Amino acid sequence: MSKASEVIIVGAGVGGLTLALSLHQAGIPCRIFEAVPELRPLGVGINLMPHAARELAELGLSERLDQVGVKAQESVFFNSHGQLIYREPAGTGLGYPWPQYSIHRGDLQTVLLEAVHERLGDDAVQCGHRCVGATQNEDYVTVSFTSPSGQPLEPVTGRIVVACDGIHSSLRKQLYPAEGAPRYSGVNMWRGTAYWDPILTGASMIRAGWLSVGKMVIYPIRNARDGSGKQLINWVAELESPRPAERDWGRVGRLEDFLPAFESWKFDWLDVPALIRASESVLEYPMCDQDPLPTWTHGRLTLLGDAAHPMVPRGSNGAGQAVLDARVLAGLLKKEGLGPMALQKYDRERVAATTRVVLTNRSNPPDAILREVHERSQGKPFARIDDVISQSELREIAENYRRVAGFDAATLGTRPSYV
Ligand SMILES: Cc1cc2nc3c(=O)[nH]c(=O)nc-3n(C[C@H](O)[C@H](O)[C@H](O)COP(=O)(O)OP(=O)(O)OC[C@H]3O[C@@H](n4cnc5c(N)ncnc54)[C@H](O)[C@@H]3O)c2cc1C
């Protein structure tokens, strides 16, 4: 076993890879240990809001993200009858220098992984290493791994270990062995992608309906790359359901479990059931989170991203908050050195910030706009939206969320760089 002076990162998802690039930028050596034998571009769409786009820009990744993602132009809300409720600009349209990217999770992971390989070398990511626990003394932390077939591998020693190993984090379980099951919000989600003609502006993030009758989130994640002009469109159908699906990102869903709720959604701006039927496959995932933890840090070990703060995906902030965690942590390790002090400062800053996001995602995320209209109009079509709710009230819901999540123009435009 060799005693190294590096940071050990567990998990090569969005959080782990961003942390590796940020540590490299800060001049701190690190290695990533990833459970799967080979990283494949899995998942469907995610959004990176301008606060995360700023961090990736400071890592020099804007050009690559511009090539693979879609820069959202607007955020637009409809009721379940297809009537327009509210529309506002997104990303640079809101006055930020940084865009909002709508992007395939696999494309984002690939951009990050390629940059890691280029900057840190090909052996910076060690696949086939499933973390099963960590021990530490005053100076070092030692992490144990097994191979994909379950055989123990040589343990690895470093100065710090950061668990970026997602919703089933092994090191979170080690820190909190008695933690309860995930908190199910009573809503299941079905997700898919289809090649389709551009919808609305061709860069619109659409939210429609409400959870009790069926809600959709729809946005393009890849621009047309061939002569057909079709974009890759990501959709998420959300429906109240007493039974939570298994918390597995790869679980296949069935059309008959949700499509009936959307059969009548044939609007002049989109035929929703046709879009769903055009999708190659459907994934099912429960909308659940976990109660915020009081602390993520134990000595030389800490948590980051979904391992630290799984949240319900109602504010497009899961990946973004993982990116922010990574940047704040790298900045503090650079400033304070590779010891527990940096981790404690990281803990103080990021536990508080992400707790606010986790709790606001439960109660008042941007799609609360849809809830307000659904409840006030009792789910019926309206003659004029202003008779139901004012545009200024709708704007305030959206702005409140930006403040909570840290991408309101005042905060984002003025805060110094983390690294
Ligand atoms: C396969 C997959 C598909 C996803 N699809 C979507 C999606 O479609 N939409 C969406 O909103 N979010 C999706 N997510 C989650 C999304 O990526 C995260 O919410 C967000 O980006 C925060 O990233 P993270 O790095 O904290 O976690 P993740 O992106 O989940 O990354 C965690 C990484 O850790 C690895 N890992 C897990 N356990 C161990 C272990 N014991 N030892 C070593 N490595 C381990 C995982 O293989 C993974 O690479 C997906 C995640 C995964 C893993």
Side-chain angles (χ1 to χ4, degrees), residues 11 13-15 34-35 43-44 46 105 129 131 164-165 191 249 305-306 319:
V14 174
E34 163 59 49
V44 285
I46 55 179
R105 177 189 178 271
H129 280 69
C131 169
C164 309
D165 50 349
R191 301 168 297 134
W249 288 115
D306 279 2

Side-chain angles (χ1 to χ4, degrees), residues 9-18 32-36 39-48 103-106 108-109 126 128-133 143-146 163-171 189 191 219 234 236 248-250 283 285 304-311 313 316-323 325:
I9 300 171
V10 176
V14 174
L17 292 167
T18 306
I32 307 184
F33 295 87
E34 163 59 49
V36 299
L39 281 168
R40 289 186 299 123
L42 299 175
V44 285
I46 55 179
N47 270 278
L48 287 172
I103 190 167
H104 193 294
R105 177 189 178 271
L108 172 60
Q109 193 181 23
Q126 304 277 316
H129 280 69
R130 176 170 295 282
C131 169
V132 289
V143 187
S144 305
F145 297 97
T146 57
C164 309
D165 50 349
I167 51 170
H168 300 295
S169 169
S170 58
L171 293 177
M189 297 182 293
R191 301 168 297 134
Y219 50 87
N234 181 84
V236 187
D248 170 358
W249 288 115
L283 297 168
Y285 194 80
L304 185 152
D306 279 2
H309 46 71
M311 59 183 70
S316 311
N317 254 263
Q321 294 297 326
V323 168
D325 291 345

Side-chain angles (χ1 to χ4, degrees), residues 53 59 81 92 96 143 212 221 240 301 305 311 360 372 389 396:
L59 281 169
H81 307 284
T92 48
Y96 302 115
V143 187
S212 52
I221 53 174
E240 286 179 357
L301 184 164
M311 59 183 70
T360 306
E372 288 307 309
I389 190 166
E396 180 49 30

Side-chain angles (χ1 to χ4, degrees), residues 1-9 23-24 26-31 33 139-142 156-162 300 333-334 337-339:
M1 203 188 310
S2 69
K3 287 218 185 299
S5 58
E6 62 189 4
V7 174
I8 300 169
I9 300 171
L23 291 172
H24 176 261
I28 299 170
C30 65
R31 260 189 307 166
F33 295 87
D139 300 316
Y140 293 101
V141 57
T142 298
V156 179
T157 294
R159 301 296 303 279
I160 298 287
V161 60
V162 188
R300 293 180 171 276
L333 289 168
K334 179 181 175 186
L338 302 190

Side-chain angles (χ1 to χ4, degrees), residues 57-106:
E58 291 183 6
L59 281 169
L61 299 174
S62 299
E63 210 173 301
R64 292 187 199 190
L65 292 171
D66 289 354
Q67 284 161 6
V68 295
V70 175
K71 290 195 221 177
Q73 280 177 30
E74 65 168 5
S75 189
V76 54
F77 297 76
F78 295 91
N79 67 6
S80 59
H81 307 284
Q83 294 179 292
L84 177 67
I85 294 171
Y86 178 65
R87 151 178 271 143
E88 65 175 17
T92 48
L94 276 168
Y96 302 115
W98 305 282
Q100 169 183 335
Y101 288 110
S102 300
I103 190 167
H104 193 294
R105 177 189 178 271

Side-chain angles (χ1 to χ4, degrees), residues 404-418:
V404 168
F407 64 104
D408 56 301
T411 310
L412 187 54
T414 54
R415 74 163 162 73
S417 296
Y418 290 131

